[in-house]
Amino acid sequence: MATLTVWKFPDSGAAEQATETLSSLQSQGLINVQDEAYVTWPQDKKKPRTVQEHNLVGAGALGGGFWGLLFGLIFFVPLVGLVVGAAVGALSGSMVDVGIDDNFIKQVRAEVTPGTSALFVLSSDAVEDRVLEAFRSSFPDAKLIYTNLSKEQEANLRQAFAD
């Protein structure tokens, strides 16, 4: 079963630094990272900058379509006019089909604000206590937000965003 994990950091540069921690944990066999992306939002910017980590190539990677849609729903939807409201509703509904509900999107939207950053990870087979310990020791002010995906939701997610 895959887990979509979000780590929120109280400064705009920490998520990018956290990718190194994640890479180290994967090389130690403590987590299987299937895909990752991060958001950095400097205090003086109107919108966050999103980056998909392209070094992860393989059957597990979802690609930019998934991250683009998720980040669009989280960060840009409030700025979109009513004209595309129905389209946004349909897209939001499709995310529910893959296990990413409105509450998760609303929580991330409320947490990741100017001056913060976040690391989004699709993973499996994590040794949760060791991963948590590594992030807590390197980033003591980080906040863990996550949602579990069932095998069916994971399959739907991969099918929806297959290249």
Side-chain angles (χ1 to χ4, degrees), residues 33-62:
V33 178
Q34 298 172 15
D35 211 347
E36 70 182 89
Y38 65 89
V39 172
T40 180
W41 198 340
Q43 188 69 42
D44 61 343
K45 300 292 182 187
K46 290 182 181 181
K47 296 179 187 177
R49 180 176 69 98
T50 60
V51 178
Q52 180 184 2
E53 289 291 284
H54 296 291
N55 59 340
L56 297 171
V57 180
L62 293 172

Side-chain angles (χ1 to χ4, degrees), residues 20-36:
E20 295 172 18
T21 300
L22 189 62
S23 179
S24 174
L25 290 166
Q26 180 162 301
S27 68
Q28 295 172 52
L30 297 174
I31 190 169
N32 178 17
V33 178
Q34 298 172 15
D35 211 347
E36 70 182 89

Side-chain angles (χ1 to χ4, degrees), residues 11 14 29 39 41 51-52 72 81 96 114-115 121 123 163:
D11 67 80
V39 172
W41 198 340
V51 178
Q52 180 184 2
V96 171
V121 182
S123 65
D163 288 336

Side-chain angles (χ1 to χ4, degrees), residues 97-143:
D97 292 342
V98 296
I100 302 168
D101 66 16
D102 285 342
N103 291 331
F104 176 77
I105 291 169
K106 287 175 186 174
Q107 183 179 7
V108 174
R109 185 181 296 148
E111 296 278 346
V112 183
T113 58
T116 67
S117 59
L119 175 62
F120 294 73
V121 182
L122 184 68
S123 65
S124 59
D125 305 320
V127 181
E128 291 181 19
D129 59 333
R130 298 277 305 275
V131 172
L132 185 61
E133 177 185 320
F135 273 92
R136 293 277 187 238
S137 66
S138 298
F139 306 95
D141 296 327
K143 181 176 181 179

